[in-house]
Amino acid sequence: MFKNRGMKTLAVVAAAACLLALVPVGVVQAADFSHDSIVNSGETIEDDVFLSGEHCRMDGTVDGNLVAGCQSIEVSGSVTGDAFLFAETIVVDEGAVIDGNLFAFAADVEMNGTVNGSFAGAAATITLAENSQIARNAYFAGYQGELEQGALVGMDTYAGANQIIMNGNIARDLTVGLNALEMSGTVGRNAKVFLSSEEVDTGFDTIQPPYGQYIPDEIPAGIRFSDGALIEGDMTYESTSNIASQLDPF
């Protein structure tokens, strides 16, 4: 029973990410293709910006939307619209601000900055680091998702993954389909967990080198809470097996 529900959750998360990315952002009157792979610190571009190349950096200000397809992407500046990032590795630095939504698709995503809209991503590993702030919702699919202590999601989080490490703060609901959950963070309302007794097939665990380096070590199956974990509302779970023995502190 769980496997269908878990895969349904994963499919919904992936579909949400793709659909959000396809939402029209308005009629583009013009666009800036002239910057190749770099927008320098102190530079302001009042237009939509498209970056491509091996290593892309956006250190300035984009007064519009940012679209980047590169081998690696680092964002440390500000974007007034949405950011669409496609790469092997994506890093959004502390101090970076995206006023719209962030869509990130890569082998590895590290989010340290602020998103005033929603975050949607798919990667082998997605990390919302200790200083990251997502004002609205977070949607992600991958092998591992991690919210570090101090990370904040202002509304709801939906995820499909083999494993999730949830040490941050979610203001409202957490809904996940997974094989393993470790939690020491806070959920402001309810948590709903679809737990598999078998590895959730996200597809990311079959990635071969060189991208296989982004697959982290597998954590034990089940649900484990530390002393600091707090769910303000109700927690419900569905599983194909009795997991009472897996609801343990760690």
Side-chain angles (χ1 to χ4, degrees):
M1 175 181 175
F2 168 80
K3 195 165 187 179
N4 291 336
R5 292 295 300 273
M7 292 309 296
K8 181 178 179 181
T9 300
L10 177 58
V12 168
V13 170
C18 293
L19 287 172
L20 281 172
L22 293 173
V23 170
V25 293
V27 178
V28 177
Q29 300 297 327
D32 188 315
F33 294 89
S34 65
H35 279 71
D36 295 328
S37 61
I38 297 176
V39 177
N40 292 310
S41 177
E43 185 175 10
T44 298
I45 303 173
E46 296 181 354
D47 207 340
D48 298 326
V49 173
F50 291 77
L51 301 179
S52 63
E54 186 174 358
H55 303 296
C56 294
R57 291 186 57 88
M58 208 299 287
D59 298 332
T61 298
V62 173
D63 188 4
N65 301 306
L66 171 66
V67 180
C70 316
Q71 182 175 341
S72 67
I73 300 172
E74 184 172 358
V75 177
S76 61
S78 61
V79 179
T80 65
D82 296 329
F84 303 84
L85 309 179
F86 306 86
E88 180 180 336
T89 61
I90 295 171
V91 176
V92 179
D93 290 329
E94 183 180 355
V97 178
I98 298 169
D99 285 332
N101 303 304
L102 169 61
F103 307 96
F105 303 91
D108 182 70
V109 176
E110 180 182 335
M111 169 62 191
N112 300 278
T114 298
V115 176
N116 290 321
S118 293
F119 167 81
T125 303
I126 294 177
T127 302
L128 301 185
E130 59 180 350
N131 296 307
S132 63
Q133 295 188 35
I134 309 296
R136 293 180 60 80
N137 301 304
Y139 309 88
F140 59 85
Y143 186 82
Q144 175 175 292
E146 180 174 5
L147 279 75
E148 294 183 349
Q149 184 177 3
L152 173 65
V153 177
M155 296 177 70
D156 303 323
T157 296
Y158 302 87
N162 180 67
Q163 55 199 44
I164 291 178
I165 302 170
M166 214 304 280
N167 298 330
N169 299 286
I170 298 171
R172 300 199 315 193
D173 297 333
L174 170 66
T175 303
V176 292
L178 44 68
N179 187 49
L181 172 65
E182 291 185 350
M183 179 174 170
S184 65
T186 300
V187 175
R189 292 198 311 201
N190 303 315
K192 182 176 289 187
V193 179
F194 301 103
L195 184 70
S196 176
S197 60
E198 302 175 358
E199 185 172 331
V200 177
D201 181 13
T202 62
F204 288 95
D205 54 325
T206 61
I207 294 176
Q208 300 298 314
Y211 303 118
Q213 65 180 302
Y214 301 110
I215 300 296
D217 293 337
E218 186 175 18
I219 63 178
I223 303 174
R224 286 170 299 282
F225 300 96
S226 75
D227 292 339
L230 176 63
I231 298 173
E232 298 279 4
D234 297 325
M235 176 180 172
T236 58
Y237 70 85
E238 295 184 22
S239 176
T240 54
S241 61
N242 185 347
I243 64 166
S245 63
Q246 299 175 350
L247 295 171
D248 296 325
F250 67 95

